[in-house]
Amino acid sequence: MAEAAQMQVSDEVAITIQNMNKWYGTFHVLRDIDLTVQRGERIVICGPSGSGKSTLIRCINALEEHQAGSIEVDGTLLSSDLKNIDKIRSEVGMCFQHFNLFPHLTILENCTLAPIWVRKTPKKEAEETAMHFLEKVKIPDQASKYPGQLSGGQQQRVAIARSLCMRPRIMLFDEPTSALDPEMIKEVLDTMIELAEEGMTMLCVTHEMGFARQVANRVIFMDAGQIVEQNEPEAFFNNPQSDRTKLFLSQILGH
Amino acid sequence: MSDTQAQTVAFVRETEIPPSPPPIREAGAVKWVRENLFSGWFNTIMTLVALYIILRIVIGVFPWFFNGVWDAGSIRECRDILEGATGACFAVLVDRWDHLLFGFNYPQDAYWRPTLAFVLLILAAVPALFYMYVPSKFLIGTALYPFLAYWLLWGGTLWLPIAVLAAIILTGVVFRLVESMTVSTRTIVAGIVGLVAGVGLAYLLYLGAKELWFISTSIGTGGAFAGLMSLVFKAFSIFTYVFFIPMGIFVGYAIYQSASDGGLVTLVTSLLAIALMMLYAVGPVSGVLNGIIPIELAAVESRQMGGFMLCMMLGAVCVSLSIPLGIVLALGRQSSMPLIKGVCIVFIEFVRGVPLITLLFVANVMLAYFFPPGSGLDLFLRVVIMITMFSAAYIAEVIRGGLAALPKGQYEAADSLGLNYAQATRLIILPQALKISIPGIVNVAVGLFKDTTLVSVISMFDIVGMIRGPIQQSTDWISIYWEPYLFAATCFFIVCYSISQYSQWLERQLQTDHH
Ligand SMILES: Nc1ncnc2c1ncn2[C@@H]1O[C@H](COP(=O)(O)OP(=O)(O)O)[C@@H](O)[C@H]1O
Ligand SMILES: [Mg+2]
């Protein structure tokens, strides 16, 4: 908690979600979501499986389309206009549960692809940037290997580096550690903590409560497509208000 | 085990086990034979039966093959030389070598041209097939090859393929130009192009409506079926009459509207540019240039092509056209735009549902009706269109399988990095989907190559057509079967086996999981 307090949160707004609703066919996945994220905030989203956490953060970079309400990212309103979508996607980095590295490209090529093609960065400069971030996630020596030759933890760190190479202003994480063996979780969390300490705006779907306590300045609990409770981590864990939150916490912390 | 330790810990390793080499497999020929050929009574019987069959074949074939007569003028001479012994009459291959390779109509003094084209084909294929080892600048040679090969095979003036090449390059320039225009300039271009394309489309539709009406009246009303067809054509015609102006306006306006993002107007402008150049500029320009600096070879017509050369030409052209077309169809079938998706599905399902022979008959006969005599498409081109369509439909389905096998996460990762559709498709999706599809594509390509022999049914004299026609029906070589067909089979086997070996090598090259 002490560390989290040191990290600055600015008054500037990074993401505004108002009254957002989403359906899959007739299934109402997200209901009346209201959420404002300040620049520099680190938000952890948790909740039972199927509660719509992934859908929520995937709506933020338009991997999923929402049907009602508004989402504004960095001052750009998400609409069906492709220009806006591309702009937002290049500002928002995303890490997936299953890494989704490109298996036919080397680690270095994975990291330089988007800067070269989307940002039109010269190849050499893109490679320097890529090596910088690969060093940051502590795997520069794997640059010429293919993703299939790396361990899960290394792959996820590459995925983080790949996102960072686009110099995003916001990072989204969708259960980045839940496909990893226990001994690899820490190396990925350490990378994320470092990122948080540098002031990155982060939205993480995760059940790593230690991580939430250490870096989050807000924990959001979702159930059945709604935000049920949100609070500072200490208050959230020590003094949950709703019954559903209490039940959920007892289930994940209980064993 | 000491008692003190047993009380505290159940087991503690105190020495490391050093790594040791893997056990050497028992080897030896006898052991291999016993394990693989005689491992039980059933396998023993199978082995003996197989050995017997192989022996019979060898006994039958060897004398035939090694007694073969290579020097004779006719099948009777062969029999005289053999004097009743079994033996092949390979003399037919020597005697008709040129016909088997080039057909019986290709000018003899021009045999060097297809031969050179073949050698250059191999050279030109190397940079594309072994792209990971050859500097990419050599691909320019590969790109120029079709134009050179066209000139070598068909002759005429070299300026024609050069003019076509120039038209293609110019179209590329137009594409870049329109793409990089400021929105306000592009709006003007979009207005003009929209107007031209809209009016042009309306005019074409108007002509089509007139033609449909003409067909409907000429079918007549004799019989229920003809009457029905006539009504159908009338209905299409009226439909086209009603909608040709709105369609023109709609398309023209859509092009004008696309000025701000540029995709459609860029594409249509380029298409318009190349169509106009092909129709009105390429012929005259090459004529004029040839008048100034004549570079000519004696012209050869498509009907004169034949032999294995024709199979190679059809095979190479159709494979290299049907793969890109197959990719486009596969992507189109996955499109979220209903019109594009619908067109692709109808095309694929229709073409796959029709035998290739039917398509070839259509190419031979029907297409000739659609084009006025003289201005019609070249026969070779018509056959290429049909075979390409046919194999593209199959390749499209193979690639669709590859696309479906990609995890959704690949699309999402590409999207989340801000890559647009074209970039994601080209850089992420296709390389992986094509890699998965290699065995299937090669399967279709090999099948296509062998199917080129079907052109013999529309009296094109490919190698099989040559054997069935001019060779077997000549008085000299009447009813000779095994030798020429064995030769044709060998030719096809060499090419198909090479393709198969190449594809397996490529698959190993593209493997990225562990090496
Ligand atoms: N593409 C989809 N089509 C239909 N239903 C979906 C789709 N994706 C997710 N869902 C459903 O939406 C709900 C929320 O999913 P998700 O956001 O992935 O939940 P979480 O990440 O919290 O586990 C789940 O019930 C899931 O079955
Ligand atoms: Mg999820």
Side-chain angles (χ1 to χ4, degrees), chain A residues 24 27 29 48-56 64 174-175, chain B residues 408:
Chain A
Y24 281 121
F27 176 50
V29 218
S49 176
S51 56
K53 310 176 296 291
S54 299
T55 311
L56 171 62
E64 302 286 354
D174 190 359
E175 306 206 27
Chain B
K408 202 160 154 257

Short mmCIF file of all heavy atoms in Angstrom, two decimals, chain A residues 24 27 29 48-56 64 174-175, chain B residues 408, ligand 1:
data_model
loop_
_atom_site.label_atom_id
_atom_site.label_comp_id
_atom_site.label_asym_id
_atom_site.label_seq_id
_atom_site.Cartn_x
_atom_site.Cartn_y
_atom_site.Cartn_z
N TYR A 24 -24.33 -10.03 -26.36
CA TYR A 24 -23.96 -11.04 -27.36
C TYR A 24 -25.26 -11.66 -27.82
O TYR A 24 -25.85 -12.46 -27.11
CB TYR A 24 -23.09 -12.14 -26.76
CG TYR A 24 -21.63 -11.77 -26.56
CD1 TYR A 24 -21.04 -11.80 -25.31
CD2 TYR A 24 -20.85 -11.40 -27.66
CE1 TYR A 24 -19.71 -11.47 -25.14
CE2 TYR A 24 -19.51 -11.07 -27.49
CZ TYR A 24 -18.95 -11.11 -26.24
OH TYR A 24 -17.64 -10.80 -26.07
N PHE A 27 -27.97 -12.03 -25.21
CA PHE A 27 -27.37 -12.15 -23.87
C PHE A 27 -26.74 -10.81 -23.46
O PHE A 27 -25.85 -10.30 -24.14
CB PHE A 27 -26.34 -13.28 -23.91
CG PHE A 27 -25.59 -13.44 -22.63
CD1 PHE A 27 -26.25 -13.52 -21.42
CD2 PHE A 27 -24.20 -13.53 -22.65
CE1 PHE A 27 -25.56 -13.67 -20.24
CE2 PHE A 27 -23.49 -13.68 -21.46
CZ PHE A 27 -24.18 -13.75 -20.27
N VAL A 29 -24.37 -8.94 -21.73
CA VAL A 29 -23.09 -9.23 -21.04
C VAL A 29 -22.66 -8.10 -20.12
O VAL A 29 -22.19 -8.34 -19.01
CB VAL A 29 -21.91 -9.40 -22.03
CG1 VAL A 29 -21.01 -10.48 -21.55
CG2 VAL A 29 -22.35 -9.58 -23.43
N PRO A 48 -16.00 -13.32 -10.68
CA PRO A 48 -16.10 -14.72 -11.10
C PRO A 48 -16.01 -14.88 -12.60
O PRO A 48 -16.24 -13.94 -13.36
CB PRO A 48 -17.48 -15.17 -10.58
CG PRO A 48 -18.21 -13.92 -10.26
CD PRO A 48 -17.21 -12.85 -9.98
N SER A 49 -15.69 -16.07 -13.02
CA SER A 49 -15.57 -16.37 -14.45
C SER A 49 -16.90 -16.14 -15.15
O SER A 49 -17.96 -16.49 -14.63
CB SER A 49 -15.13 -17.82 -14.60
OG SER A 49 -15.10 -18.16 -15.95
N GLY A 50 -16.83 -15.51 -16.30
CA GLY A 50 -18.06 -15.25 -17.06
C GLY A 50 -18.77 -13.98 -16.65
O GLY A 50 -19.87 -13.68 -17.12
N SER A 51 -18.13 -13.18 -15.77
CA SER A 51 -18.82 -11.98 -15.30
C SER A 51 -18.66 -10.81 -16.27
O SER A 51 -19.25 -9.76 -16.07
CB SER A 51 -18.30 -11.60 -13.92
OG SER A 51 -16.91 -11.42 -13.95
N GLY A 52 -17.85 -10.96 -17.30
CA GLY A 52 -17.74 -9.90 -18.30
C GLY A 52 -16.49 -9.06 -18.19
O GLY A 52 -16.39 -8.00 -18.82
N LYS A 53 -15.49 -9.51 -17.40
CA LYS A 53 -14.26 -8.72 -17.24
C LYS A 53 -13.52 -8.57 -18.55
O LYS A 53 -13.14 -7.46 -18.95
CB LYS A 53 -13.34 -9.40 -16.20
CG LYS A 53 -14.00 -9.77 -14.91
CD LYS A 53 -13.06 -10.51 -13.98
CE LYS A 53 -12.60 -11.86 -14.48
NZ LYS A 53 -13.63 -12.91 -14.54
N SER A 54 -13.33 -9.71 -19.22
CA SER A 54 -12.61 -9.65 -20.51
C SER A 54 -13.37 -8.78 -21.48
O SER A 54 -12.78 -7.93 -22.17
CB SER A 54 -12.46 -11.04 -21.10
OG SER A 54 -11.74 -11.86 -20.24
N THR A 55 -14.66 -8.99 -21.55
CA THR A 55 -15.47 -8.22 -22.49
C THR A 55 -15.31 -6.73 -22.23
O THR A 55 -15.18 -5.94 -23.17
CB THR A 55 -16.94 -8.65 -22.37
OG1 THR A 55 -17.01 -10.07 -22.43
CG2 THR A 55 -17.75 -8.06 -23.49
N LEU A 56 -15.30 -6.35 -20.96
CA LEU A 56 -15.17 -4.92 -20.63
C LEU A 56 -13.87 -4.36 -21.17
O LEU A 56 -13.86 -3.34 -21.87
CB LEU A 56 -15.27 -4.72 -19.11
CG LEU A 56 -14.94 -3.30 -18.62
CD1 LEU A 56 -15.93 -2.30 -19.20
CD2 LEU A 56 -14.94 -3.24 -17.10
N GLU A 64 -14.15 -5.68 -29.08
CA GLU A 64 -15.58 -5.95 -29.09
C GLU A 64 -16.30 -4.63 -29.27
O GLU A 64 -15.84 -3.59 -28.81
CB GLU A 64 -16.03 -6.60 -27.77
CG GLU A 64 -15.33 -7.89 -27.42
CD GLU A 64 -15.80 -9.08 -28.25
OE1 GLU A 64 -16.77 -8.90 -29.04
OE2 GLU A 64 -15.20 -10.15 -28.14
N ASP A 174 -5.35 -8.87 -19.76
CA ASP A 174 -6.45 -9.80 -19.52
C ASP A 174 -5.90 -11.10 -18.96
O ASP A 174 -5.43 -11.96 -19.69
CB ASP A 174 -7.21 -10.06 -20.83
CG ASP A 174 -8.51 -10.81 -20.57
OD1 ASP A 174 -8.77 -11.13 -19.40
OD2 ASP A 174 -9.24 -11.07 -21.54
N GLU A 175 -5.97 -11.22 -17.65
CA GLU A 175 -5.45 -12.41 -16.94
C GLU A 175 -4.08 -12.83 -17.47
O GLU A 175 -3.91 -13.95 -17.96
CB GLU A 175 -6.45 -13.56 -17.08
CG GLU A 175 -7.83 -13.17 -16.62
CD GLU A 175 -8.66 -14.35 -16.15
OE1 GLU A 175 -8.03 -15.34 -15.68
OE2 GLU A 175 -9.88 -14.28 -16.20
N LYS B 408 -8.08 -17.45 -32.83
CA LYS B 408 -8.68 -16.12 -32.91
C LYS B 408 -7.73 -15.08 -32.31
O LYS B 408 -7.72 -13.92 -32.73
CB LYS B 408 -9.99 -16.14 -32.10
CG LYS B 408 -10.97 -15.09 -32.47
CD LYS B 408 -12.38 -15.47 -32.00
CE LYS B 408 -13.24 -14.27 -31.78
NZ LYS B 408 -13.41 -13.91 -30.36
N1 LIG C 1 -18.06 -14.10 -28.57
C1 LIG C 1 -18.99 -14.41 -27.64
N2 LIG C 1 -20.24 -14.76 -28.02
C2 LIG C 1 -21.19 -15.05 -27.11
N3 LIG C 1 -20.99 -15.04 -25.79
C3 LIG C 1 -19.77 -14.69 -25.34
C4 LIG C 1 -18.72 -14.36 -26.24
N4 LIG C 1 -17.62 -14.06 -25.52
C5 LIG C 1 -17.98 -14.19 -24.23
N5 LIG C 1 -19.27 -14.56 -24.11
C6 LIG C 1 -20.00 -14.74 -22.87
O1 LIG C 1 -20.02 -13.52 -22.19
C7 LIG C 1 -19.84 -13.71 -20.82
C8 LIG C 1 -18.69 -12.87 -20.33
O2 LIG C 1 -17.49 -13.37 -20.88
P1 LIG C 1 -16.07 -12.80 -20.46
O3 LIG C 1 -16.06 -11.34 -20.60
O4 LIG C 1 -15.07 -13.57 -21.20
O5 LIG C 1 -16.01 -13.17 -18.92
P2 LIG C 1 -14.76 -13.17 -17.94
O6 LIG C 1 -13.59 -12.64 -18.66
O7 LIG C 1 -15.18 -12.34 -16.80
O8 LIG C 1 -14.58 -14.60 -17.51
C9 LIG C 1 -19.64 -15.18 -20.60
O9 LIG C 1 -20.86 -15.72 -20.14
C10 LIG C 1 -19.32 -15.72 -21.94
O10 LIG C 1 -19.84 -17.01 -22.09
#
